[in-house]
Amino acid sequence: MRFAAMLFALLLPVHAARAADVTVGLRLAPPYVMEAADGFLTGLEYELVRETLHRAGHRLVPRLLTFSRLIEDFRRGALPAFAPAHAGMNLQGCISDVLLVYQNIGLTLRQRDLLVENMQQLGGLRIMAFQNARALLPGLSDAVQGNPDYVEVANQMLQVRALFSRRADIVVADRRLLYALIAAPDSGLPAGTPLREHRLFAPSPYSVAFASAELCQDFNRALAGLRASGDYDRLLQRYDPHPLANGQQRGEYLPLLLPTPRHLRS
């Protein structure tokens, strides 16, 4: 009995440490991280981070910041972890295994029937891209050089509204984000408008940055388990737009309303 009590006392601090809260910095961007009026968070990236940490024996404590502030606070040691991150940011600490692959695309109205199979064909088009797109997307800066009708905006809802009002011929942004904005109840955009995707950019893998290498390794093991269980794919499918079921042509999609988020765990 005395030995059992000693063993329990030794194991208790370890378990408590492993079950500690983990603060992770996130930025609001549908459908990755979304905040309801009551402050409740949902979203693909949020739920993936939360579920992975839960499997590793931790509880997610989200801290919402702008993307630039996430990087700044992590670099000065004020934030123990944040997402999305990638190795190209040259951060100290540990970059986890890939959490999500982002896919930036060009999006046009199918009715316009615009041929844009490569970035060289962007010349002469009215283009609205996300902020810092030229710096982040290889080849884009050269392709739009000298184009007076190329603009970048911080508010990405302006992109989809410009596309639907024909003030822009093509918009450039992350695929999931564009469809989430179009489907948003407050977008004011007509439902069911046929769209055409232009795959002009390579996929961009993103991870979680951790100051602690031990926590990073815990996260990687739990993430591998999430993928192996099938829960990762099931969550991904709930947030990804789907192609037309019938009469589909390659690259042509209808924006579908995102499902009401089903919380994996509270």
Side-chain angles (χ1 to χ4, degrees):
M1 290 291 291
R2 183 180 301 171
F3 175 77
M6 291 175 61
L7 182 61
F8 178 77
L10 288 171
L11 291 177
L12 184 60
V14 175
H15 175 75
R18 289 184 58 81
D21 292 349
V22 177
T23 299
V24 180
L26 301 166
R27 88 294 184 227
L28 289 174
Y32 298 106
V33 183
M34 299 177 287
E35 185 176 24
D38 60 1
F40 197 82
L41 296 181
T42 58
L44 176 58
E45 196 162 68
Y46 168 77
E47 293 187 42
L48 282 175
V49 172
R50 183 184 63 179
E51 180 66 8
T52 303
L53 284 173
H54 178 88
R55 286 173 178 251
H58 302 287
R59 188 177 75 90
L60 169 64
V61 179
R63 182 183 298 174
L64 297 179
L65 299 167
T66 63
F67 186 60
S68 59
R69 181 70 182 275
L70 291 175
I71 301 172
E72 177 187 341
D73 282 10
F74 182 82
R75 281 181 170 152
R76 65 186 181 88
L79 194 61
F82 82 91
H86 60 78
M89 294 177 178
N90 297 317
L91 302 168
Q92 297 294 320
C94 175
I95 302 296
S96 76
D97 293 339
V98 174
L99 179 71
L100 273 172
V101 176
Y102 285 58
Q103 179 64 65
N104 287 293
I105 61 168
L107 193 67
T108 62
L109 299 177
R110 190 174 70 185
Q111 189 179 34
R112 298 289 309 281
D113 198 27
L114 297 175
L115 179 66
V116 189
E117 295 179 342
N118 54 62
M119 278 188 278
Q120 286 65 43
Q121 293 174 325
L122 290 173
L125 296 180
R126 295 171 300 165
I127 307 163
M128 188 174 286
F130 62 91
Q131 196 170 40
N132 298 321
R134 278 176 293 192
L136 295 172
L137 298 178
L140 180 60
S141 183
D142 290 339
V144 300
Q145 187 174 7
N147 185 344
D149 293 319
Y150 175 87
V151 295
E152 294 182 358
V153 294
N155 182 347
Q156 293 190 258
M157 182 61 84
L158 295 178
Q159 288 183 271
V160 294
R161 287 177 176 162
L163 177 67
F164 277 69
S165 65
R166 302 199 175 204
R167 289 181 287 110
D169 299 318
I170 185 169
V171 295
V172 173
D174 174 71
R175 180 177 188 263
R176 294 188 191 100
L177 186 144
L178 284 173
Y179 282 107
L181 290 174
I182 292 169
D186 61 347
S187 71
L189 301 175
T193 303
L195 304 167
R196 179 167 292 162
E197 294 183 8
H198 306 270
R199 299 296 180 96
L200 305 175
F201 312 100
S204 303
Y206 280 92
S207 306
V208 182
F210 290 96
S212 165
E214 181 181 1
L215 183 56
C216 186
Q217 292 166 4
D218 282 352
F219 187 87
N220 286 343
R221 284 190 289 268
L223 181 59
L226 187 69
R227 291 180 183 274
S229 70
D231 286 341
Y232 180 97
D233 288 336
R234 282 188 282 272
L235 183 55
L236 200 66
Q237 289 165 8
R238 290 181 43 243
Y239 283 97
D240 273 343
H242 300 286
L244 292 170
N246 300 304
Q248 172 188 341
Q249 297 183 32
R250 185 176 180 182
E252 298 186 354
Y253 294 83
L254 284 177
L256 302 182
L257 290 176
L258 291 174
T260 301
R262 173 185 56 82
H263 310 302
L264 293 177
R265 283 183 173 83
S266 301

